[in-house]
Amino acid sequence: MTVEIVNPTTGRVDYRHELLDKAGIEQRLQAAAGAFPAWSATSLQERAAVLRAIGAQLRERKDDIQGAMTREMGKLKVEALAEVEKCAAACEYYADHAADYLKPQLIDTEAQRSYVRYEPIGCVFAVMPWNFPIWQVFRFLAPAFMAGNVALLKHASNVPQCADLINEVVRAGGLPDGVFDVLHIDNDQAADVLRDRRVKAVTLTGSERAGRSIAANAGDQLKKCVMELGGSDAFVVLDDADLDKAIDAAVKSRFDNSGQTCIAAKRFIVVEAVADAFTERFVAAAGERRYGDPADARTTLAPMARADLRDELHKQVQASVAKGARVLAGGEPVDGSHAGYPATVLDQVGPGMPAYDEELFGPVAAVIRVKDEAEALKVANDTRFGLGGSVWTTDAARGEAFAQQMECGAAFVNSIVKSDVRLPFGGSKESGFGRELAEHGIHEFMNIKTIYVA
Ligand code: NAP
């Protein structure tokens, strides 16, 4: 089957590619299973050398990769280049730290010797989204390779050239054949791949809808899975917040990547004492985001990745407005654009509106006004999501106490929520389970094996 890729900036078909047939999938599954024994037997030093070479390749090919990201999902050039650099740094980080994370852990018992040993599990299937088409893949791949696992990637169907470039880069870095490959397949074929006995586990970064389907399949097969799903992060502004810092951060967190970030601030929960001042300045700052061609250095708001996603977002805005939300900025698709949506701020958002209850995966901020800190916490936790959240206050101790009560995988004080290779990343509630990055991430797809010598 031929898939057409539409450039979100121009609306024109830029690229066509073929999905794999059954034989193509079988050949890659066989190669992965065949590559695992030798790859898992390599030393950590050998794997680290390959990972460093992959990092160097990423930097060498950064312009090609940026070009593909910008063409396929509309990422701003400057953001795409920063993403490639982040991936290269993550490769280096795991090359430097994996030996420490994977060393056997002695445990004192009555045995002569007892310890935990970390062993690779085999082929891990990675299903990835388009919003950070390189970073989402490398934050899984770098630890997976160091762990001694092999991997197959099913990337989002709108970023095939990004997937192919990842394949080229890892091969150029010296990764042996079969240790990694790309499967250009649809979701039914993906379900079959997950059922294959040679695939030992699956990791998904994507929507809850995909999460329910893949986790159900993994559960049916009794295979380990990690789910990195959607979020509706709270950005809580307390009465003593430094508004200059909070507003800069609010604009960056909500509108970078055209708002298509799982850990973007989505619900701006502001206490009454500062609500007018915050909202007025936030609207002014949002209005400075300039929509345009993502390859143009003057553009500060990129198109959304696809027109259907933009239309879905607009429906959520309209439904929220019908229930009483007020549009303070934006609120209508960018005239004449294929997938453009302006930086939008909705005020007076409350329960029962999509802007309160659902994830808004685009450049729309929902301002929710609350009486005080206690109500702010209640509203911050009044969501089925639990990915991240942030709180803004000049009293660090107050912020830390608030952060500890937020029901999510990562709570930041006076900082936007960000993924950092040194810190574990993942959600709670319906944002998923399992962790990526740091030491926790590398252990997810390993057999944590107990050795006991009496
Ligand atoms: P998506 O539609 O769920 O797609 C993600 C990936 O899953 C794509 O490769 C997609 O393939 C695949 N997929 C979808 N349904 C599937 C199924 N039934 N079986 C197998 N594969 C399936 O999500 P998206 O629109 O690309 O990404 C946006 C969502 O991802 C947002 O909710 C966002 O918050 C979340 N996200 C979470 C994180 C995190 O770390 N927690 C990070 C980034 C994004 P096709 O493209 O072929 O459909």
Side-chain angles (χ1 to χ4, degrees), residues 157-209:
S157 46
N158 55 331
V159 289
Q161 295 174 91
C162 290
D164 289 340
L165 280 163
I166 292 169
N167 213 355
E168 285 176 29
V169 158
V170 299
R171 280 159 201 269
L175 200 71
D177 282 352
V179 175
F180 173 77
D181 216 330
V182 171
L183 303 177
H184 290 297
I185 54 177
D186 64 22
N187 295 336
D188 292 338
Q189 291 172 306
D192 290 340
V193 168
L194 178 51
R195 278 191 282 269
D196 191 281
R197 66 186 161 72
R198 289 162 292 191
V199 170
K200 305 299 179 197
V202 62
T203 182
L204 165 74
T205 300
S207 60
E208 302 151 77
R209 185 182 38 81

Side-chain angles (χ1 to χ4, degrees), residues 247-276:
I247 286 158
D248 275 357
V251 169
K252 188 171 168 40
S253 181
R254 182 62 289 207
F255 302 119
D256 280 6
N257 209 34
S258 211
Q260 304 163 122
T261 303
C262 54
I263 47 170
K266 290 173 185 144
R267 295 175 302 133
F268 294 83
I269 301 164
V270 193
V271 298
E272 208 51 68
V274 289
D276 285 339

Side-chain angles (χ1 to χ4, degrees), residues 128 130 136 139 154 157 205-207 228-230 262 359:
M128 291 291 161
W130 46 263
Q136 307 289 12
R139 80 177 183 183
K154 181 241 174 292
S157 46
T205 300
S207 60
E228 295 285 2
L229 309 178
C262 54
E359 178 180 33

Side-chain angles (χ1 to χ4, degrees), residues 19-36:
L19 292 186
L20 281 179
D21 60 13
K22 226 173 168 170
I25 298 171
E26 172 58 26
Q27 186 251 320
R28 284 161 181 79
L29 280 164
Q30 257 180 37
F36 177 61

